[in-house]
Amino acid sequence: MKQYIWASIIAAAMALPAAAADYKIMAPAAPGGGWDQTARSMQAALQDEQISSSVQVTNVPGAGGTIGLAQFVNQASGDASQLIVGGYVMVGAILTNNSPVTLDQVTPIARLTGEYEALVVPAASDIKDMAGLVEKLKADPGSVSWGGGSAGGTDHITAGLIAKAVGVDPTKVNYIAFSGGGEALAAILGNQVTVGISGYGEFAEQVKAGTLRVIGISSDEKIAGIDAPTFKEGGVDVSIQNWRMVAAAPGISDEQKTAIIGDVEKMVNSASWQKTLADKGWANTYLAGDDFAAQLKKDTEATSAILKDIGLVK
């Protein structure tokens, strides 16, 4: 009888779903920006879809994510519950800051999203389009201040590429870096900078409200739902896409890495995540595991070449 009872208990236990993993996600930036939005969107989807029972998000801003990255590498080693979001901006920041800690020291999990850059001006600005911006830039590059994310990140690279494309020395670009999207947005709305540059999602609400005007999008073709010309349509031959990723701690096992990839894949395929992509205008650029690690290596090499070309890295 006892054997039967134990067999029943074991069978029942095996029939139960595996306990959902708890996660702590670091957004290595201030609240309000793309990494913070990505981390909190992950938190909501993982919990709403019951993929994870508990997800906490922490913000560690500064130096294009390299302060948070260093803290993550030093404190999270071997802990499979700890994740960090990052992306193209961090690749550039590591190079421009000569960071001693790099993405080689974390465990790449997946590229999650892609987002095109948007150029915005306050609604009352005398700059009405890309042509107006280019005219001011050519007349006096220093008089045009660009408000965006961290030095060496996608926003900064985009400003440099625009300058180069219209025949202006990229090293003359007057770029003002902010550690979070919220700070940059306040500076743009407060007329502290001439033009704002970031992912469209960070400006969407203000554009809909009529307080900001989009003068260009960095895509090759017009994007459905965004009433703005591409840079190319505005006469500037530049296209670029920012991407965001999630990585795990260094020193985890292959089994732990596989389990995390499994949870992230469930999240990416969930209704909650798909709604987030649609609401925020993020493209689904999901690429996981070894394929993503290989792409990350290529992107790092390409970014280094671009940064040297526009004078941000020697």
Side-chain angles (χ1 to χ4, degrees), residues 108-111 257 261 265 285-299:
I109 295 298
R111 184 181 65 196
K257 177 182 173 183
I261 291 172
E265 188 160 341
T285 61
Y286 181 65
L287 185 69
D290 292 342
D291 289 339
F292 171 53
Q295 185 62 49
L296 181 58
K297 187 172 184 293
K298 288 180 185 176
D299 286 347

Side-chain angles (χ1 to χ4, degrees), residues 69-251:
L69 179 65
Q71 181 178 310
F72 183 79
V73 167
N74 291 327
Q75 296 180 8
S77 185
D79 185 348
S81 72
Q82 304 236 27
L83 303 174
I84 184 170
V85 297
Y88 191 14
V89 171
M90 189 180 283
V91 173
I94 287 166
L95 294 164
T96 54
N97 291 314
N98 290 315
S99 173
V101 178
T102 73
L103 291 173
D104 290 337
Q105 290 164 267
V106 297
T107 303
I109 295 298
R111 184 181 65 196
L112 297 172
T113 63
E115 186 175 26
Y116 291 107
E117 294 283 284
L119 284 182
V120 299
V121 293
S125 172
D126 61 345
I127 297 175
K128 305 298 181 188
D129 50 27
M130 287 294 286
L133 174 65
V134 170
E135 184 181 350
K136 278 184 178 289
L137 193 61
K138 285 184 171 180
D140 182 2
S143 71
V144 177
S145 54
W146 307 67
S150 304
T154 324
D155 304 341
H156 198 169
I157 287 172
T158 303
L161 289 174
I162 290 170
K164 187 179 178 187
V166 301
V168 171
D169 181 354
T171 63
K172 298 287 196 297
V173 167
N174 180 13
Y175 185 82
I176 300 169
F178 295 89
S179 63
E183 292 177 16
L185 185 60
I188 298 159
L189 291 170
N191 292 296
Q192 295 169 338
V193 293
T194 311
V195 60
I197 183 166
S198 190
Y200 177 78
E202 295 186 36
F203 301 133
E205 288 184 21
Q206 286 71 29
V207 172
K208 288 172 187 170
T211 54
L212 289 179
R213 178 169 61 249
V214 186
I215 61 171
I217 294 283
S218 69
S219 55
D220 283 314
E221 298 176 351
K222 283 185 87 88
I223 299 173
I226 299 179
D227 184 21
T230 66
F231 292 174
K232 290 182 178 181
E233 287 175 326
V236 179
D237 190 15
V238 170
S239 64
I240 187 169
Q241 186 182 45
N242 186 15
W243 51 261
R244 300 193 181 109
M245 64 157 198
V246 60

Side-chain angles (χ1 to χ4, degrees), residues 254-275:
D254 289 343
E255 290 77 16
Q256 289 170 323
K257 177 182 173 183
T258 300
I260 296 168
I261 291 172
D263 283 348
V264 170
E265 188 160 341
K266 285 179 200 168
M267 180 199 77
V268 166
N269 291 326
S270 73
S272 297
W273 187 253
Q274 295 303 317
K275 184 177 186 302

